[in-house]
Amino acid sequence: MSQVHAMSDDQVAGELKKMTAFIRQEALEKAKEIEIKADEEFAIEKSKLVRQETSSIDSAYEKKFKQASMSQQITRSTVANKTRLRILSSRQELLDDLFEKARGKLEDATKDKTKYEGICKGLILEGAYALNEPKIEVRARKQDYEVVKKAIEKAEKEYKDNVKKALKIEIDEKNPQPEGSTGGLSVIGGNGKIDINNTFDERLKLLETEALPSIRTTLFGENKNRKYTD
């Protein structure tokens, strides 16, 4: 039989010391592994948080930038529209003033009776040729009757010379042109159903409509934003 030798106190102490050292080394290595893993997880989590915060900041900045950009565009558009409206308003005031002055000039045209008689004759003939009727009426201002009667005589003669047909022209004294009008006359045919308005006021209205685009271009230049002209 083998004999079991009892360990001395020094031997037991040595073994315990070895075991303690081993356990301690194991614990240190395990603690190191845990620390390394914790550091790695911390670094990963930190990087994740940094990316999230960076993304959040970028999103917030982009949102604010878009809002600022949109606000700037709205402000710029508002200012541009207000400026455009002011320009259009000023231009319209200028055009209105221009035509108002033209209206004043029309009144001056009636002061020279000889010249005005010739104008009335031309307006009468224009209506007479358009109507092509043997008898027509003329509506004029009461203050112009003397001039218009002389114009009628000359118009009847010229019409007959040109058309080779007689024409009878009378003044419709029951329906005179308003005294506040600038002059000119209306030529009536078709038994009172056709009214060719050759008054100065009506001619000026036609001029405002038909000549306005060219007047606007002359005064303000060509508008490159207009696709079509009036």
Side-chain angles (χ1 to χ4, degrees):
M1 292 179 64
S2 61
Q3 294 180 353
V4 179
H5 300 283
M7 297 178 64
S8 66
D9 291 340
D10 291 338
Q11 289 177 326
V12 171
E15 289 297 324
L16 287 174
K17 188 176 181 181
K18 289 179 182 179
M19 291 178 64
T20 300
F22 177 77
I23 293 171
R24 184 174 181 277
Q25 183 62 34
E26 284 282 325
L28 289 173
E29 291 177 357
K30 191 67 177 177
K32 188 65 176 178
E33 290 178 3
I34 293 172
E35 183 181 2
I36 292 172
K37 188 174 182 181
D39 289 342
E40 290 177 351
E41 291 177 352
F42 173 77
I44 292 171
E45 189 64 24
K46 179 182 176 182
S47 178
K48 182 179 178 182
L49 289 172
V50 169
R51 285 197 302 271
Q52 289 177 347
E53 287 301 317
T54 301
S55 177
S56 178
I57 292 171
D58 288 343
S59 298
Y61 172 78
E62 184 177 359
K63 183 178 180 180
K64 289 182 178 180
F65 179 79
K66 287 182 178 179
Q67 289 176 341
S69 179
M70 182 64 68
S71 177
Q72 187 179 39
Q73 289 178 8
I74 292 172
T75 301
R76 187 184 296 115
S77 177
T78 301
V79 171
N81 285 335
K82 287 182 178 180
T83 302
R84 178 175 174 273
L85 289 174
R86 282 198 297 270
I87 292 173
L88 290 176
S89 177
S90 297
R91 287 182 175 182
Q92 189 59 48
E93 287 179 6
L94 179 59
L95 290 171
D96 291 343
D97 182 62
L98 177 67
F99 285 114
E100 187 60 32
K101 288 180 178 178
R103 191 175 190 276
K105 293 292 183 181
L106 290 177
E107 295 176 359
D108 294 339
T110 64
K111 294 178 180 179
D112 186 335
K113 300 304 180 183
T114 301
K115 184 177 180 180
Y116 186 42
E117 179 186 321
I119 292 173
C120 288
K121 185 194 75 170
L123 296 175
I124 293 170
L125 284 172
E126 183 179 308
Y129 291 138
L131 292 170
N132 192 27
E133 296 179 6
K135 183 178 180 180
I136 60 176
E137 291 184 322
V138 169
R139 291 174 182 168
R141 299 185 303 179
K142 288 182 180 180
Q143 66 198 67
D144 294 336
Y145 281 176
E146 184 180 344
V147 173
V148 172
K149 286 178 182 178
K150 293 179 181 179
I152 285 175
E153 291 179 6
K154 295 181 179 180
E156 287 177 335
K157 183 179 183 306
E158 186 171 326
Y159 184 88
K160 186 175 182 179
D161 291 342
N162 293 334
V163 182
K164 309 305 179 186
K165 291 192 298 183
L167 173 65
K168 180 64 176 176
I169 307 172
E170 295 180 351
I171 296 177
D172 181 6
E173 296 187 2
K174 294 181 180 179
N175 299 289
Q177 295 292 343
E179 292 303 316
S181 61
T182 55
L185 46 82
S186 292
V187 181
I188 311 301
N191 294 321
K193 296 180 180 179
I194 302 174
D195 182 349
I196 298 177
N197 193 336
N198 277 343
T199 62
F200 288 172
D201 288 329
E202 184 64 22
R203 286 299 182 97
L204 184 59
K205 288 180 183 178
L206 291 174
L207 178 65
E208 288 184 37
T209 302
E210 296 176 2
L212 185 58
S214 60
I215 293 174
R216 186 187 290 119
T217 300
T218 300
L219 291 175
F220 311 120
E222 185 177 355
N223 187 348
K224 296 181 179 180
N225 294 324
R226 277 179 174 263
K227 187 175 181 181
Y228 304 103
T229 56
D230 296 335

